[in-house]
Amino acid sequence: MPVPTQVARGIAALLFALLAAPAPARAEPSPPPPAPSAEHTTPAAHYAALLAQEPEGAAVVVDAATGGASSPEEIARAVHEALSPLGIPYYAVVSPFPGHEARWGGDTVVPALYDRLGEEGLYLRLRPRGTDLELAAHGVDLPAEDIRLAVQLHPDLEYDTPATEVVGVLAEIAADPESAREYTYDGGPGTLRYLLDDLDPTSYTGPENLGMLAGGTAGFVLVVGGVLAWRAGRGRKRAGGGSRGRSALIAVLAAGLAAAAVAVPHGYMVRAPAGRHETPDPEDEARAGPPYVVSTARAENVLEQWEGDPLYVDPLAPVRREGLAETADLIATAEPPVYAAVLAMGPGDDAGGNPELLAAALASLSERDGVHLVVRHRSHGEGVEIGAHATGLGTDPYDVWNAVHDIEADTPAQALAAAVRALGDVETDPGGPEEPPLVESEPSVPRPRGERFSSGLFGGLFGAGPLLGVLAVAVLGVAAGVLRGVRRRIGSRPGTRRLRRLAGAECRRLARLLSSPGAERIPASLMPQAEAALLVAERDPGPLDLVGATVLARRVLAAAREPGAPVRGRPCEVNPLHGTATERVRTRGEGAAGAARVCRDCAELTEARRRTAVLSLRGPGGAFTPYTHEGDSPWITHAFGARRPERMIELVLEENRVR
């Protein structure tokens, strides 16, 4: 007498509950893996049962749902090859489950695995891609937390690095635990590497970032160089033709530097070999056509379950299961035929968490005609979502998709019941031509490097670079103005001590020149002034005498540097320490015919600022007064030797102004 279906399911559920019970925390064999069932089990119980069937101390379980370019068997082999040289027991799980959502009860597995297995060794849980892992060491001397952090911060690992590479790096660090300290959250040696990776031309965004940097640098150089060339050109009227050549030279140098700032990164980008981000991802290529997954392990397992029942419920699926028994009866009598699977899914699984893609994979591998349904928990929020694809029915894939796409349900039973009703209205044509599923697509690859480089280049050249250049020029201009103001303020009121140091330094230079062969370059007409400067410096001069000695010494030194230059240049009337006057400005104050001879810098000042910039000297009472107040001094009346220098020197000595 046949056993009723519901009774058989109840017996299977009871057997599963007994087999999946937690094992005591001791080194005894764990129960065999749970058989496929409609009952929910935790990831820890599921994987602990599978690990217990592996060799003790060398147990690796790779979930059949694991996505990636490698098959589960290849991943398991890579994990064994990486961990076995450590010479310690290990228990490793590679799986996209559990997920981070609350429905999984947290995404930790390793502590529960140890509680169930009770064996000493290294416990590891890896995701198919990336460095999000769990690691614990029980009874073995390894700093598990340090190793885990080092793996996450390792510069050679990225967010999408396959588990086969991650476990290799982990094993290298575990073999030398001291190396784990090289990678810390405070920057570590990988910081510069991270910055350079952003400019890596083989990465997805590298060429654009490189172009932005090149264009920004070029724009910055052009703006700053243009301003400098313009400023140099402004001096042409004051300094003759020399400024025009200097302006042109600056412009040419700026243009050359800007061109090099673009050419060098572009050449580097062109020569770099193609990177993995620039070629079609093997997984994307596999998903672009039948069977739509790299590894068919999970799809084949589901097909095997459908041999005895058109409804398969993954024990790991984190969904509500009420009503599934009645739904199984509904599916068994559905027209057109329906095959349904309720599965755990996530971004790292073989279908990238897409139920429509997995349904297409099942349909492409199935030898049955009918509609293949995949139900999963929603990625966000409560409830479930459903994907479908038909084969052998001659249906329009869009009609099948449209029938189930808008179904909103809290449980798989509700979603499947609604799908069966909706699919009954889909028009079929058994034996008709089969159309590809809607999930077929071309693998995405980035645009050519040149295009990405150019987009960043123009953004930097006409945006960020000039903006930074203008900002830099403005900041430097303000800083220079402030600095000139401070220097002018300090220079216009030097103390006696500062004047003495200045005069002493210039006179020592003059004395060294006079005692060297270079003395021959001094014009004979300036020798009296050289001697007067040294005499002033050797005695106890007053502030104005120190200024005069400095002016005389500098005049002689300048004449020796430039033979043939004028030897009676009048010093700047605002401040004789500024040097020879080269400009004539109109004034409303004192001066011959309302004119004053000043240096270039003082000529650019307003009249009010020139008045405040006049050299002031400390008097006997300590107060500062303009140097011109000593109008009867030979220094003033003879313009510091610019007029009748011999008479000036004679008066200075005769009147004993140098004490």
Side-chain angles (χ1 to χ4, degrees):
M1 177 177 180
V3 181
T5 302
Q6 294 185 5
V7 175
R9 292 182 183 277
I11 294 173
L14 179 60
L15 289 174
F16 169 76
L18 293 174
L19 293 173
R26 53 192 173 87
E28 294 184 1
S30 297
S37 165
E39 295 299 320
H40 175 67
T41 186
T42 65
H46 179 76
Y47 294 125
L50 294 175
L51 287 169
Q53 290 192 333
E54 296 292 311
E56 183 176 342
V60 176
V61 169
V62 181
D63 196 296
T66 297
S70 302
S71 67
E73 294 78 11
E74 293 171 333
I75 297 174
R77 184 163 53 251
V79 174
H80 279 299
E81 292 174 353
L83 298 182
S84 58
L86 297 177
I88 59 174
Y90 56 88
Y91 300 86
V93 172
V94 182
S95 170
F97 316 119
H100 294 284
E101 302 94 341
R103 61 173 56 87
W104 290 99
D107 61 348
T108 58
V109 171
V110 162
L113 289 178
Y114 175 67
D115 289 342
R116 291 175 179 275
L117 295 176
E119 303 287 350
E120 293 185 346
L122 186 68
Y123 284 76
L124 171 65
R125 191 270 299 166
L126 289 167
R127 294 203 181 279
R129 289 179 180 267
T131 58
D132 179 14
L133 57 89
E134 292 182 74
L135 190 67
H138 296 282
V140 293
D141 186 19
L142 279 179
E145 184 62 14
D146 291 345
I147 295 173
R148 185 185 70 83
L149 290 175
V151 170
Q152 290 184 333
L153 296 170
H154 199 282
D156 291 337
L157 302 180
E158 302 179 15
Y159 71 95
D160 61 347
T161 301
T164 52
E165 297 180 27
V166 173
V167 72
V169 171
L170 184 149
E172 291 178 4
I173 298 174
D176 181 17
E178 291 296 323
S179 65
R181 300 178 181 177
E182 296 180 8
Y183 308 100
T184 62
Y185 280 116
D186 60 0
T191 301
L192 179 59
R193 176 71 174 274
Y194 294 145
L195 295 176
L196 293 177
D197 284 347
D198 289 337
L199 302 175
D200 183 0
T202 66
S203 67
Y204 192 85
T205 59
E208 188 169 1
N209 292 337
L210 200 61
M212 177 68 75
L213 178 62
T217 303
F220 179 87
V221 170
L222 289 175
V223 168
V224 175
V227 171
L228 293 177
W230 172 74
R231 285 188 59 83
R234 286 182 63 195
R236 187 172 66 85
K237 293 181 180 179
R238 298 191 298 267
S243 292
R244 175 179 293 176
R246 187 162 56 249
S247 175
L249 178 61
I250 293 174
V252 170
L253 287 176
L257 288 174
V262 175
V264 172
H266 183 269
Y268 167 65
M269 178 200 69
V270 170
R271 289 191 297 270
R276 65 185 184 90
H277 294 286
E278 299 177 291
T279 56
D281 186 278
E283 196 167 347
D284 289 342
E285 288 185 308
R287 290 174 179 171
Y292 306 106
V293 289
V294 177
S295 170
T296 60
R298 178 160 68 160
E300 291 172 352
N301 178 60
V302 173
L303 293 176
E304 289 178 5
Q305 303 302 321
W306 281 345
E307 292 290 346
D309 192 336
L311 173 62
Y312 169 66
V313 181
D314 185 349
L316 281 179
V319 294
R320 292 162 50 188
R321 295 159 188 265
E322 60 265 26
L324 283 175
E326 294 78 3
T327 304
D329 295 334
L330 177 64
I331 291 175
T333 58
E335 285 295 335
V338 172
Y339 304 92
V342 181
L343 302 174
M345 298 192 73
D349 68 15
D350 49 352
N354 186 348
E356 295 175 356
L357 192 146
L358 187 55
L362 290 167
S364 70
L365 295 172
S366 175
E367 297 179 355
R368 308 177 182 87
D369 295 339
V371 182
H372 302 77
L373 300 178
V374 173
V375 180
R376 63 155 291 175
H377 58 279
R378 285 196 177 276
S379 302
H380 304 285
E382 299 298 325
V384 297
E385 56 183 321
I386 188 168
H389 186 65
T391 184
L393 302 179
T395 58
D396 185 339
Y398 178 79
D399 292 340
V400 176
W401 175 86
N402 191 53
V404 302
H405 179 260
D406 294 329
I407 293 176
E408 294 185 3
D410 295 329
T411 67
Q414 296 171 355
L416 289 172
V420 169
R421 290 193 297 270
L423 290 169
D425 298 331
V426 173
E427 188 176 324
T428 62
D429 181 20
E434 294 288 338
E435 296 185 33
L438 300 180
V439 295
E440 281 197 348
S441 61
E442 292 294 327
S444 62
V445 292
R447 293 176 297 158
R449 282 185 192 174
E451 293 183 15
R452 288 180 283 158
F453 182 87
S454 297
S455 64
L457 176 68
F458 289 112
L461 185 60
F462 299 108
L467 182 62
L468 290 175
V470 171
L471 182 61
V473 168
V475 170
L476 291 175
V478 171
V482 172
L483 181 60
R484 282 197 302 269
V486 172
R487 292 178 61 186
R488 190 179 296 116
R489 183 68 178 172
I490 295 174
S492 65
R493 290 197 170 191
T496 304
R497 183 178 300 176
R498 181 165 177 262
L499 288 173
R500 186 172 287 111
R501 288 199 302 269
L502 183 61
E506 297 295 348
C507 288
R508 284 193 295 272
R509 292 175 58 201
L510 178 58
R512 287 195 297 270
L513 176 63
L514 291 172
S515 62
S516 70
E520 297 177 357
R521 297 195 302 269
I522 300 176
S525 61
L526 289 183
M527 289 302 294
Q529 296 187 42
E531 295 172 356
L534 296 178
L535 287 173
V536 168
E538 289 177 356
R539 301 179 184 180
D540 185 19
L544 186 58
D545 297 315
L546 292 171
V547 173
T550 303
V551 172
L552 295 182
R554 287 178 174 175
R555 181 180 292 140
V556 175
L557 291 169
R561 285 195 306 269
E562 301 178 18
V567 296
R568 290 194 178 183
R570 180 184 291 271
C572 175
E573 293 181 12
V574 172
N575 188 335
L577 296 175
H578 288 174
T580 304
T582 58
E583 312 291 331
R584 185 185 293 270
V585 296
R586 302 293 298 177
T587 66
R588 292 195 298 269
E590 299 178 358
R597 294 182 177 87
V598 297
C599 66
R600 181 181 303 174
D601 290 338
C602 290
E604 295 179 354
L605 300 178
T606 63
E607 186 172 351
R609 293 186 66 182
R610 277 197 297 270
R611 289 199 189 101
T612 62
V614 171
L615 176 66
S616 296
L617 303 175
R618 191 186 298 275
F624 282 92
T625 57
Y627 80 98
T628 54
H629 284 191
E630 299 188 37
D632 59 344
S633 169
W635 296 111
I636 305 299
T637 58
H638 292 79
F640 294 90
R643 293 199 305 265
R644 301 177 62 192
E646 295 81 3
R647 180 58 179 164
M648 181 197 72
I649 296 171
E650 180 182 348
L651 291 174
V652 167
L653 298 178
E654 285 180 357
E655 295 180 6
N656 197 25
R657 292 185 175 273
V658 180
R659 293 169 291 279

